[in-house]
Amino acid sequence: MSTAAVLQDTTALHNAALTQQPIPGSYDASDIEHLEGLKAVRHRPGMYIGNTGDGSGLHHTVYEIVDNAIDEHMAGHGKRVWITLLKDGSVSVRDEGRGIPVKNHEKFGKSALEVVLTELHAGGKFGGGGGYVKSGGLHGVGASVVNALSERMLARVVRDGGIYEAEFERGETVRPTTKVGDSPAKAGTGTTIIYKPDPLCFTEVTSFSYETLARRFRELSFLNPALTLIFKDEREGYEPAENEYHNPDGLKAYVKLLERGRKPLVDEPFHFIGNTPFTIKDNEGKEHDIEISVEVAISWNDSYVENTLAFANNIPQRDGGTHVVGYRTAVANVIKRYMDQEKITSKVALEGSDLREGITAIVSVKLPNPSFSSQTKEKLVTTEAQSAVYQVVNAGLSKIFEENPKFAKTVVGKVLSAAEAREAAIRARERSRQAKKDKVATLPGKLADATLRDPEKVELFIVEGDSAGGSAKQGRNRSTQAILPLRGKILNVEQADFSKIMDNAEVGTLIDAIGCGFGDDFDITKARYHKIIIMTDADIDGAHIRTLLLTFFYRRMPGIIAAGYLYIAQPPLYRVKRGSAKERYLKDDAALNEYLGEVAEETMVLKDAAGETLDIRQAFRDALMFGTKVRQVTEKMGSSRAAEITLLLPAAKAVMEKHDPILTVMNRGDASSGVKWSGRKDEVSNVLVLARNAEGVKTEYRVERDILSMPEYAAMKGYRGPLTAFFQGPVTLTHRGVTTVLAGPMDLAATVDQKARFGMQIQRYKGLGEMNPEQLWETTLDPDARTLLQVRISDEDFTGETVTLLMGNDPDARKVEIEKRARDKRMSTSM
């Protein structure tokens, strides 16, 4: 809008005011609304707990209640906290603290318990009250905010010899504090909070992620080594789980965990602890003596990056703060002081990043009334914390360097190498700038750019190989879509220093194409595309290349992820054509199986022994899941049939008495091959022995108790029910007039798969290059039809740990972790 137009509009508004004419969109005193109590929280929940759409706010509600329980522990009351995800979607948090006071509060005219849970800024953490010298959470806001955002909440308190309860709905009291019983003398005290998040407030992500919560509880156990957290999942439809988190080695154990995948330069992390007294003035000018507790664990490794985590009163500071400044200053001063003493000089000026390369460190402070830069507490700004951490780290690390000169020289050598590599990278970058000015514009063979130049309207596809690049270039929308083909697998930047990265042609092409620089020169405002889409093949090799690219962006261009510019395309792995129906594209094996189940539902009938029709689509899903578990247990038992029998056994306590119907099904399936299965109870060891008799050769398999405790066996709890039809008699499947008797779940899966493929053409793409341009546009490029996954970091610490472990230079640790993840459905990367 021109200046003249703005002045004209302003004049019109002014004249309307003089003539008292109503102005559209204006407001007066009657428009001012005061939201009392917790209504403001429900109206603007994001102000208190963050995003309510992506799951972060939902999980934050649990952290707030758990933080209150840990505050009791930090105040010297209780050593255990129980967190349980209940069947109905509620969560329960129980502690061994003193219990929230239940007596009447004079000012509010209701119990202190109700005040804490229904009034903002009410609690025992203000002015040092309640014995909370050091506490986390939202300081008197957390519990009431969680209550406001809960469909219902029950608070149970054990104290003063009694058991008290109060109930709430959406922040309003529906049952005042009532004594419901007497507490046994030895029962102890504590508080239990049970709440169910309100679906009116959490509309997108409505269920808790066990993995996300478990990572936070594991972290808390490292920060509080005397604390034990017991976490259970009892929800319907989820694999049952229970984990206990207790790490008496504290931060040292945490550093070791973070260094998996890297080669440490020290046998054990260095551990520094200290308490520093200070005198501070409050807002009224009164002086108070305080004490800041400092705990720091540090280790050096052979990597090229620093990994420092910071906490204040158990709250993670993603943006660092004064305590991190104190730690980094101390490390720098100790190293420089040692170099001066030993007369070691550097050819180039040292920078902070050089002095910290290869360090893994955790800095934790606990202090009264910490100050943060914002309500989300991402950065500590308490001035005294810097001095406190500096004193502790400086003293401890100076002693280490003095007593271990060999180690000190190793660290100094790493610092000098880092500085020289950084300087070499700078020189290489300068040479590259001179030699490749406007290189992007002159690289039609590599980058097929979009004709538009507005970064918000154009997108860059990073594709795998020239073949896929050719199809993508022909199928794209030339005005808004740019194509950059990369040759083969790019450099794994987790194992490379700056100079190697700068020398890599594919990485250089990628950096030049995006246009916002790299490292210290990175400037997100210069990005030429606001959508950068990784488009690799849907197979294993494509997944590997995608992982390498994600590692590159995460480690070397994290600003792209932070800005929300990075995406992953979802090309199909299969094209299926059935009769005269329109062809369909399916993303992966899971999608193919779902489609086969859909076809089975249309063309087949599944009946139990009584002639009742069964849900074949659901039965096929269950049978496929069962087959996955069988393959996993087979590795331990040595026989897939023995594994199949074992996984179908009922609850462990009834194993010995109720295996006959299962053996009947198995023998029905093996009858034609002359194999006979039987089972007996070993009276000595009280375990089940499965016997396989094939043409007089007898082989036995023992169902040991450790097999029944495997997660695969526990996971079958939710699948045994639909599969019990096999044990009541023959289950039959009819397709095209032919009826087949099925010999168990595995036979069901194989038979449905085979018959559903009848008359179906299935093409499995080996790569995107096998698609013609029209197919690639239809499935992956067309903005109106495609699916994109935006890359976001939901848990910075876990992501960094995972990238280090899976992309680092310790193959043994990587192998162990991959094997673990292959068997544990609960663990998955967050990146």
Side-chain angles (χ1 to χ4, degrees):
M1 183 180 289
S2 67
T3 303
V6 172
L7 289 174
Q8 185 177 4
D9 285 354
T10 305
T11 302
L13 291 173
H14 178 68
N15 292 336
L18 291 176
T19 58
Q20 296 185 346
Q21 295 175 357
I23 304 171
S26 66
Y27 75 105
D28 55 24
S30 64
D31 295 306
I32 303 300
E33 182 181 2
H34 175 226
L35 297 176
E36 297 182 354
L38 300 179
K39 292 181 180 179
V41 178
R42 292 183 62 82
H43 189 63
R44 292 284 188 269
M47 293 176 59
Y48 298 88
I49 62 166
N51 195 324
T52 58
D54 64 1
S56 59
L58 178 71
H59 294 90
H60 192 86
T61 62
V62 181
Y63 305 152
E64 288 297 334
I65 303 301
V66 172
D67 282 346
N68 288 341
I70 295 178
D71 287 342
E72 279 289 289
H73 166 74
M74 290 169 60
H77 306 281
K79 294 184 177 180
R80 293 176 295 179
V81 177
W82 291 263
I83 309 102
T84 306
L85 301 180
L86 301 174
K87 292 182 178 180
D88 65 350
S90 302
V91 60
S92 169
V93 179
R94 176 166 68 92
D95 63 45
E96 295 178 318
R98 292 162 290 182
I100 300 174
V102 294
K103 292 184 179 179
N104 204 55
H105 195 288
E106 293 183 6
K107 178 181 177 181
F108 293 95
K110 54 187 175 183
S111 73
L113 175 61
E114 293 169 63
V115 172
V116 167
L117 294 175
T118 61
E119 301 289 339
L120 292 177
H121 308 292
K125 304 175 187 179
F126 301 100
Y132 294 108
V133 178
K134 300 157 186 174
S135 59
L138 295 182
H139 300 283
V141 178
S144 56
V145 166
V146 175
N147 190 16
L149 301 177
S150 297
E151 182 178 340
R152 61 179 182 272
M153 175 183 281
L154 169 68
R156 181 180 296 117
V157 174
V158 180
R159 64 173 291 155
D160 304 330
I163 303 173
Y164 302 83
E165 289 185 353
E167 286 189 70
F168 311 87
E169 289 183 2
R170 296 186 169 93
E172 300 290 336
T173 304
V174 295
R175 180 162 66 102
T177 304
T178 306
K179 185 176 181 180
V180 297
D182 295 322
S183 172
K186 295 183 179 180
T189 58
T191 300
T192 301
I193 299 292
I194 304 173
Y195 72 95
K196 185 174 184 179
D198 190 349
L200 297 178
C201 300
F202 303 96
T203 55
E204 295 181 36
V205 179
T206 59
S207 61
F208 295 108
S209 163
Y210 187 94
E211 297 85 354
T212 298
L213 293 173
R215 289 195 293 271
R216 174 59 176 160
F217 300 150
R218 183 190 66 176
E219 181 179 78
L220 287 168
S221 70
F222 288 120
L223 295 167
N224 302 274
L227 177 68
T228 299
L229 296 109
I230 301 97
F231 184 32
K232 296 177 65 176
D233 191 349
E234 298 178 349
R235 293 174 295 177
E236 295 286 353
Y238 290 81
E239 294 184 17
E242 180 173 355
N243 285 286
E244 184 173 296
Y245 300 98
H246 177 60
N247 285 287
D249 289 338
L251 297 191
K252 289 179 65 176
Y254 200 179
V255 167
K256 287 183 177 180
L257 179 70
L258 296 177
E259 287 210 311
R260 290 187 305 164
R262 293 172 176 163
K263 183 178 180 181
L265 303 183
V266 293
D267 294 332
E268 288 287 323
F270 301 123
H271 191 212
F272 310 128
I273 300 177
N275 295 313
T276 306
F278 286 95
T279 300
I280 62 172
K281 289 184 178 181
D282 60 22
N283 294 334
E284 298 177 355
K286 296 180 181 180
E287 291 188 346
H288 299 274
D289 293 329
I290 68 168
E291 186 177 74
I292 300 179
S293 299
V294 176
E295 184 178 5
V296 179
I298 306 177
S299 181
W300 273 262
N301 57 69
D302 62 348
S303 74
Y304 303 101
V305 296
E306 175 197 9
N307 185 15
T308 295
L309 306 184
F311 301 87
N313 293 0
N314 295 324
I315 305 169
Q317 274 78 63
R318 309 304 179 199
D319 296 334
T322 50
H323 49 344
V324 175
V325 173
Y327 139 75
R328 286 177 170 169
T329 304
V331 170
N333 287 352
V334 169
I335 294 175
K336 288 179 178 179
R337 189 163 55 244
Y338 181 83
M339 292 176 65
D340 291 340
Q341 291 173 356
E342 298 298 316
K343 295 182 174 53
I344 301 174
T345 59
S346 174
K347 296 179 181 178
V348 298
L350 299 180
E351 293 188 356
S353 60
D354 304 327
L355 296 161
R356 299 188 301 272
E357 184 179 282
I359 285 183
T360 299
I362 302 173
V363 182
S364 175
V365 295
K366 293 175 181 176
L367 68 164
N369 300 319
S371 297
F372 300 96
S373 60
S374 66
Q375 180 63 51
T376 55
K377 299 178 174 63
E378 297 289 323
K379 185 176 182 179
L380 181 70
V381 295
T382 301
T383 305
E384 291 78 13
Q386 179 174 338
S387 177
V389 174
Y390 176 85
Q391 291 179 38
V392 172
V393 176
N394 181 68
L397 197 56
S398 294
K399 185 178 180 182
I400 295 294
F401 272 46
E402 182 180 339
E403 295 177 352
N404 300 272
K406 183 177 180 180
F407 167 73
K409 290 180 181 179
T410 299
V411 170
V412 170
K414 186 170 180 59
V415 168
L416 296 177
S417 296
E420 292 172 2
R422 175 180 52 80
E423 191 69 16
I426 292 174
R427 290 195 298 268
R429 194 155 54 232
E430 291 299 328
R431 288 195 302 269
S432 176
R433 286 174 185 161
Q434 293 300 319
K436 299 188 296 183
K437 283 183 179 179
D438 302 322
K439 180 180 177 182
V440 171
T442 58
L443 276 178
K446 278 287 184 182
L447 175 69
D449 209 355
T451 57
L452 289 179
R453 289 292 178 263
D454 185 347
E456 294 186 0
K457 296 180 180 179
V458 296
E459 50 195 31
L460 173 68
F461 284 86
I462 305 171
V463 301
E464 174 187 349
D466 293 334
S467 177
S471 293
K473 289 175 185 178
Q474 295 178 57
R476 64 175 174 143
N477 179 336
R478 294 175 180 271
S479 64
T480 60
Q481 294 177 331
I483 307 297
L484 178 66
L486 296 180
R487 182 176 300 172
K489 296 178 174 65
I490 74 163
L491 182 71
N492 180 1
V493 300
E494 186 71 11
Q495 301 178 17
D497 60 19
F498 274 104
S499 58
K500 289 182 180 178
I501 294 172
M502 292 306 301
D503 287 341
N504 185 270
E506 299 303 305
V507 170
T509 299
L510 183 59
I511 294 170
D512 288 341
I514 295 172
C516 58
F518 171 73
D520 295 337
D521 294 335
F522 182 83
D523 183 355
I524 191 64
T525 64
K526 295 181 180 179
R528 302 179 65 246
Y529 314 92
H530 287 187
K531 256 189 186 147
I532 300 167
I533 304 166
I534 299 173
M535 189 171 73
T536 57
D537 295 344
D539 58 8
I540 296 299
D541 285 339
H544 187 194
I545 293 172
R546 181 169 65 248
T547 302
L548 290 168
L549 285 166
L550 287 170
T551 302
F552 167 75
F553 282 110
Y554 176 69
R555 287 300 190 199
R556 301 303 180 183
M557 296 181 77
I560 294 291
I561 299 176
Y565 292 174
L566 189 62
Y567 295 81
I568 298 174
Q570 299 292 285
L573 183 61
Y574 294 100
R575 182 182 69 86
V576 298
K577 184 76 168 63
R578 178 170 166 252
S580 59
K582 182 181 179 181
E583 62 184 9
R584 292 177 61 169
Y585 296 93
L586 303 173
K587 178 180 178 296
D588 50 24
D589 290 318
L592 175 62
N593 287 330
E594 192 62 27
Y595 178 63
L596 294 174
E598 180 183 321
V599 173
E601 192 173 47
E602 296 176 6
T603 62
M604 305 176 208
V605 177
L606 185 69
K607 291 187 177 182
D608 61 16
E612 295 292 329
T613 300
L614 302 175
D615 185 341
I616 190 170
R617 195 168 181 178
Q618 186 60 51
F620 182 53
R621 289 193 194 106
D622 293 343
L624 290 171
M625 174 61 72
F626 177 72
T628 300
K629 303 301 180 185
V630 167
R631 287 188 289 274
Q632 293 167 348
V633 176
T634 297
E635 296 180 21
K636 187 171 183 64
M637 299 199 68
S639 164
S640 61
R641 206 59 163 164
E644 189 175 357
I645 295 171
T646 301
L647 286 175
L648 286 173
L649 292 172
K653 63 181 180 181
V655 163
M656 309 309 168
E657 294 80 12
K658 297 186 178 181
H659 60 272
D660 287 345
I662 297 166
L663 292 176
T664 299
V665 174
M666 298 300 120
N667 281 319
R668 189 186 305 136
D670 290 336
S672 61
S673 60
V675 176
K676 177 72 174 177
W677 285 90
S678 61
R680 64 179 175 80
K681 179 180 179 180
D682 187 322
E683 299 296 342
V684 177
S685 57
N686 195 34
V687 300
L688 179 66
V689 178
L690 300 173
R692 178 182 185 273
N693 195 319
E695 299 180 356
V697 179
K698 189 174 182 180
T699 308
E700 292 188 345
Y701 304 92
R702 296 173 63 85
V703 184
E704 302 286 355
R705 296 293 175 182
D706 63 335
I707 294 178
L708 298 179
S709 64
M710 291 177 67
E712 288 79 11
Y713 181 83
M716 285 307 302
K717 179 181 179 181
Y719 295 95
R720 286 191 196 97
L723 300 178
T724 52
F726 285 101
F727 314 134
Q728 316 305 322
V731 175
T732 60
L733 184 144
T734 301
H735 176 251
R736 298 175 65 84
V738 178
T739 299
T740 303
V741 177
L742 301 175
M746 298 285 280
D747 192 21
L748 165 65
T751 303
V752 169
D753 182 272
Q754 176 192 9
K755 294 184 180 300
R757 292 171 184 256
F758 180 83
M760 185 185 297
Q761 299 175 19
I762 301 178
Q763 178 182 1
R764 187 182 190 278
Y765 292 112
K766 295 180 180 179
L768 294 174
E770 290 189 4
M771 290 187 187
N772 61 46
E774 292 77 16
Q775 290 175 328
L776 193 56
W777 167 259
E778 181 181 348
T779 62
T780 316
L781 295 173
D782 183 1
D784 295 329
R786 72 191 182 192
T787 298
L788 294 181
L789 300 180
Q790 186 179 39
V791 178
R792 293 183 296 182
I793 307 299
S794 60
D795 187 323
E796 180 67 42
D797 302 341
F798 179 71
T799 302
E801 174 192 336
T802 302
V803 171
T804 297
L805 187 60
L806 298 182
M807 305 303 292
N809 52 15
D810 188 339
D812 293 334
R814 178 163 52 250
K815 178 182 178 181
V816 170
E817 186 67 13
I818 290 174
E819 290 177 346
K820 176 188 174 185
R821 289 170 186 266
R823 290 169 173 78
D824 189 353
K825 184 182 177 182
R826 292 193 171 278
M827 296 299 292
S828 63
T829 57
S830 301
M831 197 172 89

